Amino acid sequence: MKRLLFIICMALTCHLSHAQDALFKQYENMKGVSTVFISKNMLSLMPEMEAGGMDISKIARKLDCIQILDCERPSLIPAIKKQAVAYYKKHQYEQIMQMNDDDEHTAIYCKPIGKGKNEFVLLNEEADEIQIVCIVGTISLNDIKAITD
């Protein structure tokens, strides 16, 4: 019975992360859009690393993966933002921060994904660019604070 529950939980976890991956895959081959996926193994090989302007090296050993989507094509920005925000609402991500500064809008979303792991998503939108940085691992809000300081 425990084995069956474990398999069901893993299937659900994979399904949720697959939906997040779908957003990245949908836009990865479009002109003006860059996507990056960095696995746990690759993270362990990088002594210094920056993602979305944040020094990730402070928490790299706690991370399972990082995904980054960067779009510099203004015509795609509203669709990407709408799709991302709808996904975060549907899958019950908690918005833990929002900042608006002139033409720049930043939000951070969080979702626990089990076994002490969390997914944090930084959504940063400017007039001519949008960035989504997704960080998954055994990280906490304090870890996120440490890399954004």
Side-chain angles (χ1 to χ4, degrees), residues 87-94 110-112:
Y87 175 83
Y88 304 138
K89 286 181 182 179
K90 179 179 179 182
H91 294 284
Q92 301 175 340
Y93 283 69
E94 176 186 0
C110 173
K111 181 174 183 167

Coordinates of all heavy atoms in Angstrom, one line a residue, residues 87-94 110-112:
Y87 N -1.2 29.6 -14.6 CA -0.7 28.4 -14.1 C -0.4 28.4 -12.5 O -0.8 27.5 -11.8 CB 0.6 28.0 -14.8 CG 1.3 26.8 -14.2 CD1 0.9 25.5 -14.6 CD2 2.3 26.9 -13.3 CE1 1.5 24.4 -14.1 CE2 2.9 25.8 -12.7 CZ 2.5 24.5 -13.1 OH 3.1 23.4 -12.6
Y88 N 0.2 29.5 -12.1 CA 0.5 29.7 -10.6 C -0.8 29.7 -9.8 O -0.9 29.2 -8.7 CB 1.4 30.9 -10.4 CG 2.7 30.8 -11.2 CD1 3.2 31.9 -11.8 CD2 3.3 29.6 -11.4 CE1 4.3 31.9 -12.6 CE2 4.5 29.5 -12.1 CZ 5.0 30.7 -12.7 OH 6.1 30.6 -13.5
K89 N -1.8 30.4 -10.3 CA -3.1 30.4 -9.6 C -3.8 29.0 -9.6 O -4.2 28.6 -8.5 CB -4.1 31.4 -10.2 CG -3.7 32.8 -9.9 CD -4.7 33.8 -10.5 CE -4.2 35.2 -10.3 NZ -5.1 36.2 -10.9
K90 N -3.8 28.4 -10.7 CA -4.4 27.1 -10.8 C -3.8 26.0 -9.9 O -4.4 25.2 -9.3 CB -4.4 26.6 -12.3 CG -5.0 25.2 -12.5 CD -5.0 24.8 -13.9 CE -5.6 23.4 -14.1 NZ -5.6 23.0 -15.5
H91 N -2.5 26.1 -9.8 CA -1.7 25.1 -9.1 C -1.4 25.6 -7.6 O -0.5 25.0 -7.0 CB -0.5 24.6 -9.8 CG -0.9 23.9 -11.1 ND1 -1.3 22.6 -11.1 CD2 -0.9 24.3 -12.4 CE1 -1.6 22.2 -12.3 NE2 -1.4 23.2 -13.1
Q92 N -2.1 26.6 -7.2 CA -2.0 27.1 -5.8 C -0.7 27.5 -5.3 O -0.2 27.2 -4.2 CB -2.7 26.0 -4.9 CG -4.1 25.8 -5.2 CD -4.7 24.7 -4.4 OE1 -4.0 23.9 -3.8 NE2 -6.0 24.6 -4.4
Y93 N 0.1 28.2 -6.1 CA 1.3 28.8 -5.7 C 0.9 30.0 -4.8 O -0.1 30.7 -5.1 CB 2.1 29.3 -6.9 CG 2.8 28.3 -7.6 CD1 2.2 27.3 -8.4 CD2 4.2 28.2 -7.6 CE1 2.8 26.3 -9.1 CE2 4.9 27.2 -8.3 CZ 4.2 26.3 -9.1 OH 4.9 25.3 -9.8
E94 N 1.7 30.3 -3.8 CA 1.4 31.4 -2.9 C 2.3 32.6 -3.4 O 3.5 32.4 -3.6 CB 1.8 31.1 -1.5 CG 1.7 32.3 -0.6 CD 2.2 32.0 0.8 OE1 2.6 30.9 1.1 OE2 2.1 32.9 1.7
C110 N 5.7 30.8 -4.5 CA 6.3 29.7 -3.8 C 5.2 28.6 -3.7 O 4.1 28.8 -3.5 CB 6.7 30.1 -2.4 SG 7.3 28.7 -1.4
K111 N 5.8 27.3 -3.8 CA 4.9 26.2 -3.6 C 5.7 25.1 -3.0 O 6.8 24.7 -3.6 CB 4.3 25.7 -4.9 CG 3.4 24.5 -4.8 CD 2.7 24.2 -6.0 CE 1.8 23.0 -5.7 NZ 0.8 22.8 -6.8
P112 N 5.3 24.5 -1.9 CA 5.9 23.3 -1.3 C 5.6 22.1 -2.2 O 4.5 22.0 -2.7 CB 5.3 23.1 0.1 CG 4.3 24.2 0.2 CD 4.2 25.0 -1.0

